[in-house]
């Protein structure tokens, strides 16, 4: 750190590795019909979209990321209600950045105590008011049921930005977008391309991991093996009832391990998370697991992390080709730009744009 140098390099790359989206863009043929269908859906779960819809969403995100200045006005005169009743940095700001970049306006709520909910107002009534105030809702709440209570009363789309321990579907979409930018050939089942993925975390406790595993199951052909790496203390609560069985039924080979360094040399993708929001606070899992410069990673392996990070992911790796977590976070903005455009009936404004 040089405290005497106050300059910065505006063109300095903020990601490492071959993170440019053009290869992904070329790998998928455009079919806008799948995107038009998103206008009639809430986004709730990591596996609710089929493979073709996800591919088209990734393609649109890649198109926007390749030339973002061409997509500055699709959401003019549209209003987003950004309701975050749980702490958030990347998710809230990336959604709001995405909406602003598309030309829309935002109403933001970051404190439940400043709303009628604090006075006992029913969430169904809040949702009814939202129908009159905006065109789309992004909700984060520490209660799993809040999302579903609002859905029944909404006539505008809502996106689950994290509901308790349950799910975080747009994080999973951003994770998959990063993986397919890295290896576009994984999208094509006939290519035979596969990767071995290690997930350091507790699927039963971490909504980011739960949604990622669901999303991966949609592309089961691309996964040779999924290794869940966890501490011994989490063994009894590693999977929710039926969670592992569902992955197996969809064609994913699932194994578990408590030895991180034994697994790392064979992993193509390492996904690490340590934090789980539970109720009004957070808990950490797997304190013994750390990735750093001396970790025995494959030479071409990439690391993903939903962030925020702690000691589990050393900054020593930030300036190495393993760092795809910054690209992952950056790409989330473009993925959400694509999704939001489609959900508020503006897909026709971006389809066929070169």
């Amino acid at each position: 750190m040089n405290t005497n140098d106050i300059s910065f390099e505006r063109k300095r790359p903020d990601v490492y590795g071959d993170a440019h989206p053009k290869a992904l863009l070329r790998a998928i043929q455009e079919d806008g019909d799948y995107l038009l269908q998103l206008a009639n859906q809430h986004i709730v779960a990591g596996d609710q979209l089929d493979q073709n819809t996800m591919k088209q969403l990734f393609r649109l995100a890649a198109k926007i990321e390749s030339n973002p200045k061409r997509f500055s006005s699709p959401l003019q005169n549209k209003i987003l209600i950004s309701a975050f009743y749980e702490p958030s940095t990347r998710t809230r700001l990336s959604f709001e950045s995405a909406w602003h970049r598309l030309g829309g306006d935002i109403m933001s709520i970051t404190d439940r105590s400043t709303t009628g909910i604090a006075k006992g107002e029913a969430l169904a009534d809040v949702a009814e008011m939202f129908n009159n105030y905006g065109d789309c809702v992004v909700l984060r709440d520490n209660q799993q049921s809040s999302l579903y209570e609002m859905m029944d009363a909404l006539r505008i789309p809502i996106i689950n930005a994290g509901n308790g321990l349950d799910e975080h579907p747009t994080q999973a979409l951003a994770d998959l977008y990063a993986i397919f930018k890295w290896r576009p050939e994984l999208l094509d089942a006939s290519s035979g391309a596969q990767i071995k993925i290690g997930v350091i975390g507790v699927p039963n406790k971490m909504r980011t991991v739960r949604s990622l595993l669901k999303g991966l199951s949609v592309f089961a052909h691309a996964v040779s093996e999924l290794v869940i790496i966890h501490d011994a203390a989490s063994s009894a609560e590693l999977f929710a009832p039926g969670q592992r069985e569902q992955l197996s039924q969809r064609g994913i080979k699932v194994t578990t391990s408590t030895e991180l360094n034994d697994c790392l040399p064979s992993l193509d993708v390492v996904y690490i998370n340590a934090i789980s929001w539970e109720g009004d606070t957070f808990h950490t899992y797997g304190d013994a697991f750390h990735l750093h410069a001396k970790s025995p990673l494959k030479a071409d392996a990439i690391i993903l992390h939903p962030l925020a990070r702690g000691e589990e992911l050393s900054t020593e790796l930030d300036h190495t080709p393993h760092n795809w977590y910054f690209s992952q976070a950056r790409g989330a903005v473009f993925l959400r730009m694509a999704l939001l455009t489609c959900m508020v009936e503006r897909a026709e404004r971006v389809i066929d744009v070169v």
Side-chain angles (χ1 to χ4, degrees):
M1 180 183 295
N2 183 358
T3 58
N4 295 319
D5 183 4
I6 60 172
S7 64
F8 68 95
E9 298 176 41
R10 190 172 293 275
K11 292 185 179 181
R12 180 181 177 183
D14 59 355
V15 295
Y16 293 84
D18 184 15
H20 200 282
K22 286 189 176 179
L24 175 60
L25 189 60
R26 290 193 296 267
I28 306 169
Q29 184 174 353
E30 187 171 64
D31 188 342
D33 289 345
Y34 290 100
L35 298 178
L36 295 174
Q37 296 170 15
L38 289 170
N40 300 314
Q41 297 186 48
H42 301 302
I43 298 298
V44 176
D47 58 350
Q48 76 176 70
L49 302 179
D50 62 29
Q51 191 178 119
N52 286 327
T53 302
M54 285 194 193
K55 285 182 179 179
Q56 291 303 315
L57 196 59
F58 298 149
R59 188 186 194 282
L60 178 56
K63 185 161 64 170
I64 295 172
E65 186 173 3
S66 296
N67 193 0
K69 293 182 179 179
R70 294 293 302 275
F71 300 88
S72 61
S73 61
L75 298 190
Q76 284 184 347
N77 301 316
K78 292 286 188 178
I79 298 174
L80 176 71
I81 299 174
S82 174
F84 277 72
Y85 303 137
E86 182 187 286
S88 174
T89 302
R90 275 149 301 280
T91 303
R92 182 173 69 86
L93 293 183
S94 69
F95 266 114
E96 295 184 4
S97 173
W99 195 272
H100 278 306
R101 288 169 183 264
L102 292 163
D105 297 308
I106 294 173
M107 296 186 294
S108 186
I109 309 168
T110 58
D111 187 350
R112 180 191 296 268
S113 67
T114 65
T115 72
I117 299 173
K119 297 183 287 187
E121 185 174 16
L123 287 171
D125 287 350
V126 173
E128 186 59 50
M129 296 304 100
F130 282 177
N131 289 326
N132 303 312
Y133 301 154
D135 300 286
C136 182
V137 181
V138 177
L139 175 69
R140 169 169 286 188
D141 198 298
N142 56 18
Q143 299 298 318
Q144 180 176 335
S145 61
S146 296
L147 173 75
Y148 302 103
E149 291 176 40
M150 296 189 72
M151 278 172 52
D152 288 342
L154 283 170
R155 298 186 298 280
I156 59 175
I158 187 169
I159 297 174
N160 179 7
N163 62 325
L165 291 177
D166 190 29
E167 292 227 30
H168 194 349
T170 63
Q171 179 63 55
L173 289 170
D175 300 341
L176 292 171
Y177 179 53
I179 290 171
F180 291 133
K181 278 197 296 182
W182 170 61
R183 294 277 300 276
E185 67 272 19
L186 293 169
L187 289 165
D188 183 3
S190 66
S191 73
Q194 289 190 313
I195 53 173
K196 184 175 180 180
I197 302 177
V199 174
I200 305 167
V202 182
N204 186 32
K205 295 289 186 180
M206 298 173 176
R207 62 192 177 203
T208 54
V209 173
R210 186 191 303 269
S211 290
L212 173 62
L213 298 191
K214 284 188 170 187
L216 285 171
S217 73
V218 178
F219 295 91
H221 68 267
V223 182
S224 63
E225 185 178 347
L226 173 65
V227 186
I228 305 298
I229 303 164
H230 62 96
D231 56 15
S234 301
S235 296
E237 55 183 2
L238 191 59
F239 295 99
Q243 190 178 27
R244 183 172 185 170
E245 292 76 9
Q246 183 186 57
L247 292 169
S248 297
Q249 289 168 3
R250 294 182 178 183
I252 291 187
K253 177 184 176 182
V254 181
T255 60
T256 63
S257 176
T258 56
E259 301 296 331
L260 174 61
N261 284 347
D262 288 351
C263 296
L264 286 178
S266 66
L267 297 177
D268 300 298
V269 177
V270 182
Y271 189 99
I272 184 167
N273 189 18
I275 294 176
S276 170
W277 274 94
E278 301 177 27
D280 294 324
T281 187
F282 69 90
H283 296 275
T284 58
Y285 294 88
D287 290 340
F289 297 137
H290 301 90
L291 293 176
H292 48 77
K294 294 184 179 179
S295 295
L297 293 156
K298 284 182 67 173
D300 58 350
I302 65 168
I303 299 170
L304 299 178
H305 192 306
L307 304 176
R309 66 173 161 186
E311 295 182 357
E312 74 278 1
L313 179 57
S314 172
T315 57
E316 295 172 349
L317 291 163
D318 289 357
H319 297 279
T320 73
H322 300 302
N323 174 6
W324 271 67
Y325 36 92
F326 289 162
S327 174
Q328 174 190 7
R330 180 176 184 271
V333 176
F334 302 105
L335 185 284
R336 288 170 174 141
M337 289 174 73
L339 180 64
L340 290 165
T341 300
C342 298
M343 292 185 71
V344 295
E345 303 179 294
R346 292 290 174 86
E348 73 282 352
R349 298 193 179 191
V350 296
I351 296 172
D352 296 327
V353 173
V354 178

